Amino acid sequence: KRLGILHYFFMTCIILYIFGYTIIWSKTYLALETPLGSLRLSLEKPPKYPDLQDLSYCLSSNHTTSNSSLPYTILPCMFWDANLVVFPPCEQTAMLIATRITEQPLTLPCNWTDADCNFVPDAHNQTFYIGNIELYTLMIDHAMIAVDLNIQRNGQEMAGSLISVNGSKMQLQPPDVVGEVGALDILQIETLLDAAGVKSLDSPLYQPDDGLEPMRYSGIVMMVVLTYSNTNTFSTNDVTYIMETHFLNNTEFKSTETIYRDF
């Protein structure tokens, strides 16, 4: 009798393993392929800027270096158009969104025929923040293709969701849109930061806090990861995706652009 019970017990385990784990959960009966993806990014300025007095990191009549509530020196703010905020591409599949600008005039007091000729920095430079960069919106137009399986979709043909750093699905409010069929993905910068666990650009970048440079000044590196799958349902034609953002700790980023004004 005991042997009979063990016999049926092991048979049940085998059936559960084959049908439950192998077929239903792991779906090992399917041919798998890692898809290739393409990405197009576009930045748009907010339709309306807040009052300068409401931005604690901006120099104004309400916020000065002597009464600032922030632990670092605050700077003037400029409200640039999106085309100016986005620097020329400095690497592939990436976008540099400026949060702090330093303009340093240089003069050439000599001739390039002189081996010791170097540019001399002008004493009159200026540094400022881009005001309200958090409310700029980023359009993420993406597509994928699995060549061998002959499956391809663009972002507007798939349902998807934005996943926060703690693994939960984020509930979005307009103008944020992710994973709505027929619509492009559009996210405010502050939503991307929140999904990555960055609560404020006025937080220190380095830990332990050196008290000198906030993220807004030093710049940060963020990665947006898109994961596609057609195994979430029993229909392989149902392709969905999840979007995740990751903040790289203790990693700053900046880019230098040379603009020649006089030859």
Side-chain angles (χ1 to χ4, degrees), residues 16-32 229 231-232 234:
L16 289 175
Y17 175 78
I18 293 174
F19 289 96
Y21 178 77
T22 305
I23 296 178
I24 297 176
W25 179 260
S26 299
K27 298 181 176 65
T28 54
Y29 61 92
L30 294 174
L32 301 179
S229 176
T231 61
N232 293 322
F234 287 102

Side-chain angles (χ1 to χ4, degrees), residues 37-41 93-94 139-143 224 226 228 243:
S38 69
L39 189 67
R40 180 173 66 92
L41 303 174
T93 66
M139 183 193 72
I140 304 176
D141 185 10
H142 57 99
V224 178
L226 291 162
Y228 302 97
M243 181 186 299

Side-chain angles (χ1 to χ4, degrees), residues 66-175:
S66 60
N67 69 2
S68 172
S69 60
L70 299 175
Y72 56 84
T73 302
I74 59 179
L75 298 172
C77 284
M78 297 285 187
F79 298 94
W80 277 12
D81 183 80
N83 292 327
L84 296 174
V85 170
V86 177
F87 270 58
C90 51
E91 57 183 282
Q92 292 183 343
T93 66
M95 172 182 281
L96 192 156
I97 301 173
T99 58
R100 186 260 304 177
I101 303 291
T102 296
E103 294 181 343
Q104 175 66 71
L106 303 171
T107 57
L108 189 67
C110 48
N111 191 286
W112 286 122
T113 57
D114 183 356
D116 296 323
C117 183
N118 292 297
F119 282 102
V120 177
D122 194 308
H124 302 289
N125 58 35
Q126 62 172 336
T127 299
F128 54 88
Y129 290 129
I130 300 298
N132 226 53
I133 193 66
E134 293 89 340
L135 293 188
Y136 282 67
T137 53
L138 182 66
M139 183 193 72
I140 304 176
D141 185 10
H142 57 99
M144 56 73 63
I145 180 171
V147 178
D148 293 338
L149 297 178
N150 193 28
I151 299 175
Q152 58 179 316
R153 299 285 190 279
N154 63 51
Q156 299 182 63
E157 297 174 323
M158 297 178 285
S161 56
L162 177 64
I163 305 300
S164 69
V165 68
N166 60 17
S168 62
K169 180 180 177 180
M170 295 193 64
Q171 303 300 318
L172 304 178
Q173 301 295 329

Side-chain angles (χ1 to χ4, degrees), residues 226-246:
L226 291 162
T227 304
Y228 302 97
S229 176
N230 66 340
T231 61
N232 293 322
T233 66
F234 287 102
S235 173
T236 55
N237 291 321
D238 185 14
V239 182
T240 61
Y241 69 93
I242 61 172
M243 181 186 299
E244 300 171 287
T245 60
H246 300 274

Side-chain angles (χ1 to χ4, degrees), residues 239-259:
V239 182
T240 61
Y241 69 93
I242 61 172
M243 181 186 299
E244 300 171 287
T245 60
H246 300 274
F247 162 65
L248 303 188
N249 293 317
N250 299 331
T251 305
E252 62 181 73
F253 193 89
K254 70 176 181 179
S255 178
T256 301
E257 182 182 18
T258 301
I259 301 175

